[in-house]
Amino acid sequence: MPGSALFIHHEQERKYRFHDRHPFHPIRLEITMDLLKEVGALKPDHLLRQRPATEEELLWVHQPAYVEAVKNLSLTPPDPAWVSRAEQYGLLDEDTPYFAGMHEAAACIAGGTVAAVEAVLSGASTHALHLGGGLHHALSAKAAGFCVYNDAAVAISYARRRYGARVLYVDTDVHHGDGVQWSFYSDPEVCTYSIHETGKYLFPGTGFLPERGEHQGYGACMNLPLQPYTEDDSWMECFEQSVRRLAGHFRPDLIVSLHGCDAHALDPLSHMHCSMAIYRRMPEILHELAHTYCEGRWVAVGGGGYDFWRVVPRAWSLLWLEMSGHPLKETLTRQPDARLPEAWIKRWQSQTSFSLPDAWLDDLSHWDGIPRRAEITAKNRETLAVALQDYL
């Protein structure tokens, strides 16, 4: 599948950092980009620097009082009057505490995803990846789940307002993409899709089957809440059947996808049991769908992923290899046990107590099986059947 690809990045994004012990740490970006550079997959002509989102763009999604709160809590030191109201805006809990420079860093991230959409819809590039993006839990007037400004929702709004594009949003993070869903819940021109661990057991506690949109937007929302300890085969069965059916039904002008990689068995913040195999296969399917329905127009962003030594760099690199058509992608088809570069492993191993993986894909022969596999698979198939009932 031919097509050019741009990689959106700005150093300012590394300042989106709550504190050193917080699981949402910008070192994820540094390690991933270093791996891509090491294998020759990320070169200067791929890179595009973004500008911050404007206040007008932020206000397409967020309420004025909330943006004002974020700006004031970003000051050093913040005004005590605003600190006393921080909890009201979701900026005082352990997940999303306010920090110095928060507005500038979050606006830069939102601007990066807008830049990715602009590059693709203007025709400057067929595909665009912004790994710093993916803050899908931010609500119109409240921060949540490590997310301050909802860059995906802002960028989709940009696509709608500036280009009139029909957008299919595909969220593969293990946590439900609630903020994006609620932003477009009544909009028939934005179809939101999320596959995730069921909200019965995991933040944010939403994303259930009855959430299908409202008013004119009814039917333009699909959720696949899967059972804890779902493995590769069941995850991919549900994903492939549902996203293909939905794309064929909706026929978008643009696909915007979010690639949290926290459904991996090693991730500390979920209960899934998937391997690197799903992070290789899902981008392949989305790439195909983009060329089938959108003349290739595809924007991807990062998202969650909290084992940032063993999982995130490999998963996000596999995404870029697919988007950019790098030859290493075909090598992995022929050699599924292909090794990661030794130089990259040596450079980072001293900074973590985890043993870094030596191969791109996981060797599943060493993994323990899930005793309830048949039951989990059957329950997920029931969920899939209900989700697809309006799209037969």
Side-chain angles (χ1 to χ4, degrees), residues 116-280:
V117 166
E118 170 62 25
V120 169
L121 290 181
S122 69
S125 183
T126 315
H127 316 315
L129 173 62
H130 179 219
L131 286 179
L135 305 182
H136 60 163
H137 295 307
L139 304 172
S140 66
K142 194 170 186 178
F146 316 154
C147 305
V148 175
Y149 291 142
N150 196 317
D151 64 289
V154 171
I156 292 169
S157 295
Y158 183 93
R160 292 287 308 124
R161 290 168 178 264
R162 298 294 165 87
Y163 288 93
R166 281 169 61 84
V167 181
L168 172 59
Y169 170 74
V170 178
D171 194 316
T172 65
D173 194 288
V174 80
H175 301 89
H176 175 231
D178 57 336
V180 183
Q181 172 179 295
W182 302 131
S183 293
F184 303 102
Y185 208 52
S186 302
D187 189 343
E189 300 299 310
V190 178
C191 183
T192 61
Y193 168 98
S194 180
I195 184 169
H196 48 266
E197 181 181 336
T198 173
K200 289 181 180 179
Y201 310 107
L202 195 68
F203 176 90
T206 54
F208 296 105
L209 287 167
E211 296 168 29
R212 306 181 75 85
E214 64 183 3
H215 308 308
Q216 299 255 340
Y218 183 81
C221 175
M222 181 187 287
N223 286 295
L224 265 293
L226 302 185
Q227 294 299 296
Y229 302 103
T230 293
E231 297 171 283
D232 291 345
D233 289 347
S234 183
W235 179 285
M236 286 309 308
E237 176 184 24
C238 292
F239 176 76
E240 184 161 8
Q241 290 190 30
S242 58
V243 80
R244 286 189 184 280
R245 184 78 60 83
L246 189 61
H249 174 82
F250 186 70
R251 305 187 72 83
D253 302 314
L254 169 70
I255 292 175
V256 175
S257 56
L258 186 143
H259 296 262
C261 43
D262 37 9
H264 194 280
L266 294 178
D267 194 273
L269 298 188
S270 72
H271 314 100
M272 295 310 223
H273 205 69
C274 294
S275 78
M276 203 56 59
I278 71 168
Y279 298 112
R280 179 187 174 197

Side-chain angles (χ1 to χ4, degrees), residues 233-379:
D233 289 347
S234 183
W235 179 285
M236 286 309 308
E237 176 184 24
C238 292
F239 176 76
E240 184 161 8
Q241 290 190 30
S242 58
V243 80
R244 286 189 184 280
R245 184 78 60 83
L246 189 61
H249 174 82
F250 186 70
R251 305 187 72 83
D253 302 314
L254 169 70
I255 292 175
V256 175
S257 56
L258 186 143
H259 296 262
C261 43
D262 37 9
H264 194 280
L266 294 178
D267 194 273
L269 298 188
S270 72
H271 314 100
M272 295 310 223
H273 205 69
C274 294
S275 78
M276 203 56 59
I278 71 168
Y279 298 112
R280 179 187 174 197
R281 181 61 182 143
M282 287 191 292
E284 291 177 346
I285 294 169
L286 291 169
H287 196 177
E288 177 192 335
L289 293 175
H291 281 280
T292 299
Y293 298 107
C294 312
E295 298 180 337
R297 291 183 290 268
W298 177 25
V299 168
V301 295
Y306 306 101
D307 188 318
F308 43 76
W309 299 105
R310 297 173 294 178
V311 175
V312 178
R314 292 188 294 161
W316 282 356
S317 292
L318 289 170
L319 169 61
W320 175 247
L321 295 178
E322 176 65 38
M323 295 192 88
S324 63
H326 192 273
L328 180 54
K329 171 182 170 289
E330 299 305 322
T331 300
L332 292 173
T333 301
R334 299 189 306 271
Q335 300 175 306
D337 61 346
R339 304 289 98 180
L340 290 165
E342 289 187 15
W344 178 82
I345 296 172
K346 289 179 180 178
R347 194 151 50 243
W348 294 102
Q349 184 59 78
S350 63
Q351 299 194 38
T352 176
S353 59
F354 294 116
S355 294
L356 295 180
D358 59 7
W360 282 94
L361 303 177
D362 297 314
D363 180 1
L364 302 186
S365 65
H366 302 295
W367 287 34
D368 293 332
I370 297 299
R372 297 177 55 252
R373 176 180 297 158
E375 180 183 341
I376 291 168
T377 299
K379 182 61 177 176

